[in-house]
Amino acid sequence: MEQQILTPSEILPKRNFIAANPKNIGVMIVVLIALLIGICKPLTGLPPIGHHIIAVVIIALGLWIFKPNNVPFMAGCAFIVSGGLIFGLNYGVVAAGFVSSSVWILIPALYFGFVLQKTGLGKRIAYLVLKAFEPGWVTMAISWFIIGVLLSALTPSITVRLAIVMPIALGVIDACKLKYNSKGSAFIALIAFAMCLFPGTGWLTGSLSGPIMTGFLPPELKPLATFDNWFKILALPWFLVTVIYVALVVVLMKPNEAIGIPRDTFKEEYKGLGPISRDEIITGIILVACLVLFTTERIHGIPAAGAALMALVLLLVFGIIKPTEIGTGANWDVICFFGVAISLSPIFLEAKVSAWLTPILQPTILSLAANPLIFLLLVTIGMMLIRFIDVPWGFSTIALTAVVLIPVFNQFGIHPLVVTFAYLVGINFFLLSYQQPWMLMAEGILQNKGWAASHVFIAGLCFIIAAIAAIVVCVPYWRMIGVIP
C-alpha cells in the first residue's frame, strides 16, 4: 500500500493552527497571565485560594471574550464551577446564582420572548406601530422608541427583541433601497438596536439587566431593590438616556434626502400577517397580566419570580409552548452564563478576593461619595472604560465592586439603585462593536448590512453624552425623592 505524502501546504495549516487564529493567540495570552497569578501568587495579602479563583475567572473571561472555535458561554461557566470546586469552594457557593430569584425570572422571561416570536405577536405589535405614522426619518425614530417600550413591557429578553426588531429594520432598509452600511441604513439600524436595550432598563423586569443586577447586590441591600424602588429611581434617567440618544442620532446621522418609502408599505406588511390568532390573544393576555402583577407587587405580595413562573405554567397549559419546545424555547447557554455570573459575587467573597480588594477600592470610592454628582460621573466613566477589557457586560467588575455599595449607602446615604445606574450604563455601553455582545448578535441578524464601524463609534458617543446628561439632570430629582443626600 503506497504511503500518502502530504505537501507543505497541507502540513503548514496544521502546524500554524494557533498562529492562523487570533482568537487562539488571545486565549493563550490570557491562560499564561492566569497561570502566572495562580502559580506565582504576586498579589500581596491575597490568600492562595484568592489567587487561584482569580486565575480561574481570568481564563473563563478569555473563553467568553475570544470564543475559540466558537465555544458557547457554557465552556467558561463550567470552568468557573469546576475550578471553584477543585480549589475548595462548596457547591452552595459556586452555584449560588442558580438559587437566586434573578435566574427564576430569567428562565420564564426567555420563554416569554420565545412565544412572542413564535406566535407572531411581537411582529404584529411592531408593524402596528410602524403603520400608524407617515414614513419619515424622525417618525421612524419615534416608531422604534414606541416599539422598544412595548416589547420591553412584554419580555425582558433582549435576545428576542433583537430577533423581532432587527429583521424588520433590515426589511425597512431594503424597502427604502438604501445602500448597505450607509448613513441611512445605519440611522435605521442603530436606533432600532438601541431601542431593544435602553427603554426597558428603566424598570426591574424591562430588561435582563434588572434581575441580573439584583443578583449582584450584597444580601444586605437586596431588600432595597424592589420593583417600585427601581422604577422610582431609574425610570426617569433611562427615559432621558433614550430620548437624548435618539435626538443626537437624528441630528448627527439623519440623511438629507427623504426616506423614500410609501406609508402603504407597512400597512401591507401588517395585512400580510392575517387576522390575530388564538395563540396571540392568549399570549398577550398572559403577558399583560404578568406585567400587572410585576407592577403591583406591593399590593398583593407575589414576588416577581412567582408571577413569571405562573405565567410560564399557563403558557404550557394552554399549549402555546409545546413539550418538544422546552429544550429549544429558552437559550440554556445564556441561562447558565447569567447563573454563573451572579455566582461570582459569593465566589469572590468566599475566596477572600472581595475582602482583599475592598480596602484598596473603598478609600478612593468613599472619598468621592461625599459629592454624589462627582461620584456618579466618575463611577459611570470608570464602568465605561473597564468595558474595553471586561467585555461580557462588565459582570466581573460588578461582582468585585458591588460590596462597596454597603458603606456608600450606610455612610453617605446614596441608595444602591442610584449607583446601579452607573453599572447599567456599563452594561449597555458600546463604542466599538466587540464591547457589546448584543451588538454582535444584531450584526449577525442584519447580515452585516446595517452599519459601519464609524457609525457605531458615533452612536456610542451619543450614548456617552446621553448617560452623562441624564446624571446631571437626575441628581436634583434623586435628591428630591430622598435617595441621595
Side-chain angles (χ1 to χ4, degrees):
M1 184 175 178
E2 187 176 351
Q3 185 178 4
Q4 183 181 3
I5 300 176
L6 298 176
T7 64
S9 63
E10 292 173 310
I11 296 173
L12 236 79
K14 300 181 188 312
R15 292 179 177 173
N16 292 333
F17 170 72
I18 293 174
N21 192 335
K23 291 184 176 181
N24 291 302
I25 295 175
V27 171
M28 285 198 65
I29 293 173
V30 167
V31 169
L32 289 174
I33 293 172
L35 288 175
L36 178 66
I37 292 173
I39 295 172
C40 298
K41 302 178 180 59
L43 303 175
T44 305
L46 182 66
I49 188 173
H51 283 89
H52 295 150
I53 292 302
I54 288 178
V56 166
V57 172
I58 287 174
I59 292 175
L61 284 172
L63 293 173
W64 288 339
I65 293 169
F66 296 105
K67 288 186 171 292
N69 296 322
N70 294 317
V71 296
F73 283 122
M74 178 74 77
C77 296
F79 193 81
I80 288 177
V81 173
S82 62
L85 294 173
I86 288 169
F87 289 115
L89 300 182
N90 61 49
Y91 288 96
V93 173
V94 296
F98 293 96
V99 297
S100 164
S101 62
S102 301
V103 169
W104 293 101
I105 294 174
L106 171 66
I107 293 172
L110 292 176
Y111 282 107
F112 295 169
F114 169 71
V115 296
L116 273 178
Q117 193 173 2
K118 175 190 173 184
T119 62
L121 180 59
K123 185 180 290 187
R124 184 177 296 278
I125 291 170
Y127 279 121
L128 188 65
V129 174
L130 287 169
K131 77 182 185 71
F133 292 91
E134 188 69 36
W137 295 112
V138 175
T139 56
M140 180 66 64
I142 295 171
S143 298
W144 288 134
F145 173 75
I146 296 172
I147 291 167
V149 172
L150 291 176
L151 292 181
S152 298
L154 295 178
T155 174
S157 175
I158 296 170
T159 302
V160 170
R161 297 206 288 262
L162 291 173
I164 291 170
V165 168
M166 299 319 293
I168 296 175
L170 182 58
V172 173
I173 291 168
D174 287 334
C176 294
K177 296 181 172 57
L178 295 169
K179 183 180 178 182
Y180 295 143
N181 302 322
S182 65
K183 191 176 183 181
S185 67
F187 176 90
I188 291 171
L190 283 168
I191 291 183
F193 164 76
M195 296 308 99
C196 292
L197 266 67
F198 301 160
T201 314
W203 63 92
L204 181 61
T205 56
S207 165
L208 294 179
S209 300
I212 296 305
M213 274 308 308
T214 58
F216 280 127
L217 290 177
E220 301 94 316
L221 301 179
K222 287 185 190 294
L224 299 174
T226 63
F227 189 101
D228 289 348
N229 283 342
W230 189 287
F231 188 84
K232 180 174 69 174
I233 295 170
L234 294 170
L236 177 60
W238 279 102
F239 174 78
L240 291 173
V241 169
T242 306
V243 171
I244 295 170
Y245 171 87
V246 171
L248 289 173
V249 171
V250 168
V251 170
L252 297 176
M253 300 182 68
K254 181 176 76 68
N256 295 324
E257 65 275 7
I259 196 168
I261 182 173
R263 182 171 182 173
D264 288 345
T265 301
F266 297 129
K267 289 183 177 179
E268 290 301 317
E269 291 288 346
Y270 184 80
K271 186 178 179 181
L273 297 176
I276 189 167
S277 66
R278 165 195 173 272
D279 286 358
E280 287 179 87
I281 294 171
I282 293 173
T283 297
I285 292 172
I286 291 172
L287 295 187
V288 169
C290 189
L291 177 65
V292 171
L293 289 176
F294 288 160
T295 57
T296 55
E297 180 179 344
R298 183 176 54 182
I299 298 172
H300 52 69
I302 300 173
L309 288 166
M310 184 54 65
L312 177 58
V313 171
L314 293 175
L315 291 171
L316 290 164
V317 169
F318 282 100
I320 309 300
I321 300 174
K322 307 295 183 187
T324 55
E325 294 168 336
I326 296 296
T328 58
N331 188 329
W332 290 93
D333 188 42
V334 170
I335 292 169
C336 287
F337 171 70
F338 281 114
V340 170
I342 294 172
S343 300
L344 286 176
S345 291
I347 287 173
F348 287 143
L349 190 65
E350 187 70 16
K352 311 301 181 186
V353 177
S354 296
W356 170 77
L357 189 63
T358 298
I360 298 173
L361 290 177
Q362 190 163 304
T364 302
I365 292 177
L366 295 185
S367 68
L368 299 171
N371 186 322
L373 175 59
I374 300 301
F375 172 71
L376 290 168
L377 287 173
L378 291 179
V379 172
T380 301
I381 292 169
M383 278 303 303
M384 290 189 284
L385 289 175
I386 203 69
R387 286 296 316 285
F388 284 89
I389 301 170
D390 195 354
V391 175
W393 295 288
F395 286 166
S396 298
T397 302
I398 298 171
L400 277 169
T401 59
V403 67
V404 184
L405 298 183
I406 299 173
V408 167
F409 177 62
N410 291 335
Q411 296 179 32
F412 295 93
I414 300 177
H415 197 287
L417 291 185
V418 174
V419 188
T420 293
F421 177 79
Y423 286 139
L424 294 170
V425 169
I427 291 172
N428 286 339
F429 172 74
F430 64 90
L431 199 61
L432 305 172
S433 290
Y434 86 90
Q435 295 171 303
Q436 184 49 259
W438 300 126
M439 179 163 279
L440 298 177
M441 182 182 298
E443 286 179 346
I445 296 172
L446 291 169
Q447 303 167 38
N448 295 309
K449 297 176 179 178
W451 52 65
S454 59
H455 300 134
V456 173
F457 189 83
I458 293 171
L461 290 177
C462 292
F463 174 69
I464 293 171
I465 295 169
I468 292 173
I471 292 174
V472 173
V473 172
C474 285
V475 162
Y477 165 74
W478 285 327
R479 187 169 286 126
M480 181 184 71
I481 62 175
V483 292
I484 62 172

